[in-house]
Amino acid sequence: MALHSIRRRLVDSPDSWGAKRRARRAQWLSETFPDLAQMSVIDLGGRVDTWERAPVRPKHVHVVNLEPIPGELPEWAELDYGDACALPEHIAKRRYDLVFSNSVIEHVGGHERRLRFAESIHALADAHWVQTPYRYFPIEPHWVAPGMQFLPVSLRTTVAHRWPLAHTPAKDRDDALQSVLWTELIDKTQMRHYFPQSTIRSERIFGLTKSMIAYKLPGA
């Protein structure tokens, strides 16, 4: 319990170090897209409550996720159940001002699926903002575990099963293995491959890249 409270102070609580980094990233988003409040945005893999807390909220937000759909939504929000790597036709044929994705591409399931994810992003809008943790930052961000991403799968599974700073503790070893197999951090070369026309911005801590943001402005 004491160790889990450390995670809250580092990452999860509203006044945590992680929350401050997320707030700074939200500021970067609004600075990069100064017309954000007038834009229609599709958020691939996100949540509506992220935008409820945002300092600048788009005119319309369409969230697409594989999580269960809640009942009531604010009037500015739309929510669909869907796979961002193989979008249903009624979503794929629409156009938006901006595609947004935060910490999703590392969870979609390998290179082929990341290609499909990037294709969806390029097809839905001229502009995008795609964030993902950087593979070579020394702390694995999902488990807050030093160097975990460099271990063999069996050892990563052991860490995921037993490490006390995980966001959601694994129920058993099989649950831990599933979490490990669905988490594959990527590097800058991969990010540039998926988004060749984008600017890649590095979020740094103590001079080290913690996460990457691939963004493309409207008409660029």
Side-chain angles (χ1 to χ4, degrees):
M1 184 63 70
L3 286 174
H4 200 69
S5 70
I6 293 175
R7 180 189 169 93
R8 280 191 52 79
R9 290 197 297 272
L10 287 174
V11 182
D12 295 335
S13 70
D15 59 348
S16 67
W17 173 80
K20 292 175 183 176
R21 303 299 301 187
R22 290 189 291 271
R24 183 182 180 192
R25 207 177 298 142
Q27 182 180 352
W28 287 353
L29 176 67
S30 61
E31 291 171 351
T32 304
F33 299 97
D35 296 329
L36 183 62
Q38 287 76 49
M39 298 176 87
S40 64
V41 174
I42 183 166
D43 182 342
L44 299 180
R47 294 182 175 89
V48 173
D49 60 4
T50 298
W51 297 101
E52 290 176 325
R53 299 189 302 267
V56 179
R57 191 176 66 227
K59 183 178 181 180
H60 182 77
V61 178
H62 185 183
V63 173
V64 178
N65 207 321
L66 291 173
E67 294 182 345
I69 297 176
E72 190 172 343
L73 293 171
E75 60 180 10
W76 48 266
E78 180 181 358
L79 182 61
D80 266 305
Y81 180 89
D83 181 354
C85 303
L87 289 169
E89 184 179 356
H90 73 279
I91 299 174
K93 68 182 181 182
R94 291 173 61 173
R95 294 283 291 175
Y96 302 83
D97 297 320
L98 174 68
V99 181
F100 177 90
S101 177
N102 186 74
S103 295
V104 175
I105 194 171
E106 73 271 20
H107 295 297
V108 298
H111 172 63
E112 176 67 23
R113 294 266 297 168
R114 288 192 292 269
L115 282 174
R116 304 289 83 80
F117 184 78
E119 287 174 358
S120 293
I121 290 170
H122 296 312
L124 289 166
D126 290 334
H128 56 251
W129 173 280
V130 181
Q131 184 271 351
T132 188
Y134 180 51
R135 173 172 174 76
Y136 294 106
F137 187 68
I139 307 296
E140 204 295 328
H142 302 90
W143 285 273
V144 196
M148 176 182 171
Q149 66 270 39
F150 308 122
L151 298 174
V153 169
S154 61
L155 290 180
R156 275 185 279 156
T157 301
T158 299
V159 173
H161 187 204
R162 299 180 180 177
W163 189 248
L165 297 183
H167 179 269
T168 304
K171 297 188 296 290
D172 50 37
R173 188 174 176 83
D174 185 63
D175 186 37
L177 176 60
Q178 290 296 320
S179 296
V180 164
L181 293 177
W182 281 100
T183 304
E184 186 176 356
L185 301 182
I186 66 174
D187 65 16
K188 292 179 182 179
T189 299
Q190 291 167 291
M191 196 69 157
R192 291 190 186 101
H193 177 70
Y194 300 131
F195 303 99
Q197 305 302 317
S198 306
T199 299
I200 308 297
R201 179 171 187 172
S202 295
E203 179 185 15
R204 297 182 184 276
I205 297 174
F206 304 123
L208 301 175
T209 299
K210 178 185 180 293
S211 72
M212 304 170 289
I213 300 164
Y215 71 89
K216 185 172 179 288
L217 300 177

